[in-house]
Amino acid sequence: MAIDTAPPATTVGPADQARTVEPPEPRRFGLGRALAWAFMILIILASLFPFYWMLRTALSSNNALYAGSDNLLPVQPSLGGFERVLGMQTGQEAIDAGGAGQPINFWRYLFNSVVVSTLVTAGQVFFSAMAAYAFARLQWRHREKWFAFFLGGLMIPAIFTLLPNFVLIKQLGLVDTLLGIALPSMLMTPFAVFFLRQFFLGISREVEEAALIDGASKVRVFFRLILPMSSAPIATLAILTYISVWNEYFWALMVSYTDRSRVLTVALGVFKSQTPQTGPDWSGLMAATLIAALPMLLLFMVFAKRIVNSIGFSGIK
């Protein structure tokens, strides 16, 4: 006689079917997390403090600035520094407020910075995109070796190229001109070519091959297909290039001699050199620095997410 050893059948009641899952216990705010938050807040405050001090100095009266150097708030709050920079004060009013009394052609310097930054950005992005497409898609002998050789330019310090570029600009008769400042950087850079090449390699070849089968040339594929599909990294490269050119100082200082070609960064040095008898016009200098940096800060804040996403997609660490 066989013995049935199977376990008895069990029935599932409504209580078992409606069994609820208990929520996980909330994470406790321990000592480690408290220290991590405190350290992060400390880093943020240390990063923002120079900008606050620049704003505090710009809003202070230059005559009373030294007497209240230990005060974290503006000393005798005043907009005189901004008025001197923007040319809204006469020479005597500027001297009375602690300035040098010499005029500063701020709007001319701002125009020069915009022109130079626009020329370099437009030229560098366009020519770098063409070079990046050649390295990513066109088949030619020793392509990878030439790309590695070209990429080696990243290891050359920029200061090594200042003297040869200056000699070239002088021989071309472009010293003290906006074109002379912009020309050496208008073609392409290894970083820009590498940045765009990494994105071009990720574009599907099937789309490009379909356009070539339909009779499109390589040039048409590049302008009508590749560039529109690469609008995000191209915009990111344009923003990074514009910010870099806007902050350029040493090369612009070598080439520009007069107000007709001076950019904002050089003008700040000229403004500092106009030292009155009471000492440097720190209030006016910080006001000029704040006005010069504000457009780039706003530009980066607006497009920060796009820049980070594009750099991450390109594989740059």
Side-chain angles (χ1 to χ4, degrees):
M1 181 176 179
I3 300 176
D4 187 6
T5 59
T10 58
T11 58
V12 180
D16 295 330
Q17 294 179 355
R19 183 179 301 170
T20 58
V21 179
E22 296 181 359
E25 296 183 0
R27 297 179 61 182
R28 297 180 179 178
F29 194 79
L31 179 61
R33 293 190 65 187
L35 291 176
W37 275 99
F39 183 70
M40 184 176 64
I41 293 174
L42 183 63
I43 292 179
I44 294 175
L45 292 177
S47 302
L48 295 178
F49 183 76
F51 296 98
Y52 168 75
W53 196 258
M54 180 170 61
L55 178 62
R56 173 258 183 196
T57 306
L59 294 176
S60 299
S61 174
N62 196 65
N63 289 328
L65 195 60
Y66 292 96
S69 58
D70 56 344
N71 195 341
L72 294 178
L73 298 177
V75 184
Q76 295 183 10
S78 171
L79 296 177
F82 293 95
E83 293 175 353
R84 289 193 295 278
V85 171
L86 299 178
M88 300 172 62
Q89 288 185 350
T90 63
Q92 187 59 44
E93 290 176 343
I95 293 176
D96 295 339
Q102 300 181 17
I104 174 173
N105 198 350
F106 178 82
W107 298 111
R108 176 67 182 183
Y109 301 148
L110 178 64
F111 173 78
N112 292 343
S113 292
V114 172
V115 171
V116 172
S117 299
T118 303
L119 286 175
V120 174
T121 301
Q124 191 174 127
V125 171
F126 177 73
F127 292 114
S128 296
M130 296 180 66
Y133 180 73
F135 282 120
R137 283 291 191 261
L138 302 184
Q139 300 296 329
W140 39 287
R141 190 176 182 182
H142 302 307
R143 184 188 66 175
E144 299 301 328
K145 294 181 179 179
W146 279 110
F147 177 70
F149 177 77
F150 180 77
L151 204 61
L154 289 172
M155 297 184 293
I156 302 176
I159 196 171
F160 285 2
T161 62
L162 290 179
L163 185 58
N165 286 335
F166 180 79
V167 173
L168 176 62
I169 295 301
K170 185 176 181 180
Q171 292 178 349
L172 293 175
L174 297 176
V175 175
D176 200 23
T177 63
L178 297 181
L179 183 60
I181 299 176
L183 189 59
S185 305
M186 282 182 61
L187 296 180
M188 64 187 75
T189 62
F191 170 77
V193 174
F194 171 75
F195 181 82
L196 293 179
R197 174 183 176 271
Q198 295 300 106
F199 187 87
F200 291 163
L201 290 174
I203 297 178
S204 176
R205 287 183 177 271
E206 286 75 10
V207 178
E208 185 177 351
E209 291 173 355
L212 294 174
I213 292 175
D214 290 341
S217 63
K218 285 285 187 180
V219 176
R220 187 173 183 181
V221 168
F222 174 73
F223 284 103
R224 302 294 298 273
L225 185 64
I226 300 299
L227 289 185
M229 294 178 65
S230 308
S231 58
I234 288 177
T236 299
L237 178 63
I239 294 170
L240 294 176
T241 304
Y242 201 94
I243 294 175
S244 176
V245 177
W246 185 275
N247 296 326
E248 177 63 36
Y249 173 74
F250 199 63
W251 170 248
L253 178 65
M254 291 181 61
V255 180
S256 58
Y257 298 151
T258 61
D259 285 353
R260 69 173 186 173
S261 64
R262 281 184 181 137
V263 295
L264 270 177
T265 51
V266 178
L268 293 178
V270 175
F271 186 80
K272 184 178 182 301
S273 65
Q274 298 174 355
T275 305
Q277 296 180 355
T278 57
D281 184 7
W282 293 114
S283 178
L285 181 61
M286 291 299 102
T289 304
L290 185 64
I291 296 175
L294 189 59
M296 296 302 101
L297 289 176
L298 295 177
L299 185 67
F300 187 81
M301 290 174 62
V302 172
F303 296 98
K305 186 175 181 179
R306 169 175 287 187
I307 293 174
V308 173
N309 292 338
S310 296
I311 291 178
F313 183 85
S314 66
I316 300 175
K317 302 297 183 180

